[in-house]
C-alpha cells in the first residue's frame, strides 16, 4: 500500500514542481497511513484515488482534509467526488461541525471540486488557499 501511495503522489507532485507536500513523500505517506482516516479506490490491483483526512479533534469537531489524490489517467471518472462524499458523510455521522482544507492556489481543478461541494474561501497564504465546509 505505502509504495502505491508513494508512486501516485510522486507522479502528481511532478505537476506541482515538488510543492505537493511539505515533507518528503515517503514521510508524508507514513504519517497519513498511521494517523489519518484513509479511504482508497483500487481497480485491477492499482490505486486509482485516495482521500486522507483527520477526524480525531473531538473538542473542536473540525475535520481536516490532508489529501485527495486521483491518478492523472483516471481523473474525471467521479473517484474524487465519491471519496469526498464518503469523508463528508463520515464526519457528519461522527457529529463534526466543519471540514477544513488547504489547497495549492494553482490547483484550479481541486478548488472547483471543493467549491461544488460547498467549501468556502477562508483565507490565503502566498501559495495556498484555506477553505471550509460547514457540515
Amino acid at each position: 500500500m505505502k509504495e502505491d501511495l508513494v508512486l501516485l503522489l510522486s507522479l502528481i507532485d511532478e505537476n506541482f514542481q515538488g510543492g505537493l507536500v511539505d515533507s518528503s513523500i515517503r514521510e508524508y505517506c507514513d504519517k497519513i497511513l498511521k494517523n489519518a482516516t484513509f479511504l482508497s479506490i483500487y481497480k485491477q490491483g492499482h490505486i486509482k484515488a485516495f482521500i486522507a483526512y483527520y477526524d480525531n479533534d473531538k473538542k473542536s469537531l473540525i475535520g481536516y482534509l490532508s489529501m485527495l489524490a486521483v491518478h492523472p489517467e483516471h481523473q474525471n471518472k467521479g473517484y474524487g467526488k465519491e471519496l469526498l462524499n464518503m469523508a463528508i458523510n463520515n464526519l457528519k455521522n461522527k457529529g463534526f461541525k466543519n471540514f477544513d482544507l488547504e489547497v495549492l492556489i494553482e490547483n484550479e481543478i481541486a478548488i472547483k471540486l471543493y467549491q461544488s461541494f460547498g467549501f468556502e474561501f477562508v483565507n490565503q497564504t502566498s501559495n495556498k488557499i484555506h477553505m471550509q465546509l460547514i457540515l
Side-chain angles (χ1 to χ4, degrees):
M1 164 84 68
K2 179 182 171 183
E3 289 307 313
D4 292 338
L5 292 179
V6 170
L7 289 172
L8 175 58
L9 290 178
S10 296
L11 177 65
I12 294 170
D13 193 45
E14 290 175 11
N15 294 330
F16 295 103
Q17 291 93 31
L20 188 62
V21 295
D22 294 332
S23 60
S24 79
I25 289 176
R26 283 192 178 283
E27 289 172 351
Y28 177 76
C29 290
D30 285 338
K31 178 182 161 189
I32 62 172
L33 288 172
K34 181 180 177 186
N35 301 313
T37 296
F38 181 85
L39 306 170
S40 61
I41 296 175
Y42 270 82
K43 302 270 183 176
Q44 301 168 337
H46 298 285
I47 191 166
K48 305 302 181 197
F50 78 88
I51 192 167
Y53 63 97
Y54 293 93
D55 57 357
N56 52 7
D57 188 345
K58 305 294 186 199
K59 288 184 181 179
S60 70
L61 296 175
I62 297 173
Y64 183 78
L65 176 61
S66 184
M67 180 71 66
L68 174 60
V70 179
H71 192 289
E73 293 178 5
H74 300 283
Q75 292 181 349
N76 298 314
K77 295 183 179 178
Y79 295 146
K81 288 179 182 178
E82 179 181 345
L83 290 167
L84 194 53
N85 265 323
M86 291 170 65
I88 290 168
N89 287 331
N90 287 344
L91 288 168
K92 284 180 179 179
N93 289 337
K94 290 182 176 185
F96 277 70
K97 304 298 180 196
N98 298 345
F99 196 15
D100 285 19
L101 63 86
E102 288 182 340
V103 60
L104 292 170
I105 290 171
E106 67 263 24
N107 195 346
E108 295 174 11
I109 293 170
I111 293 168
K112 287 180 184 175
L113 172 66
Y114 299 138
Q115 287 175 323
S116 76
F117 274 79
F119 282 86
E120 295 184 0
F121 174 86
V122 175
N123 60 37
Q124 178 176 326
T125 63
S126 61
N127 65 339
K128 292 181 182 175
I129 295 173
H130 176 196
M131 300 179 81
Q132 183 177 72
L133 175 66
I134 297 173
L135 299 174

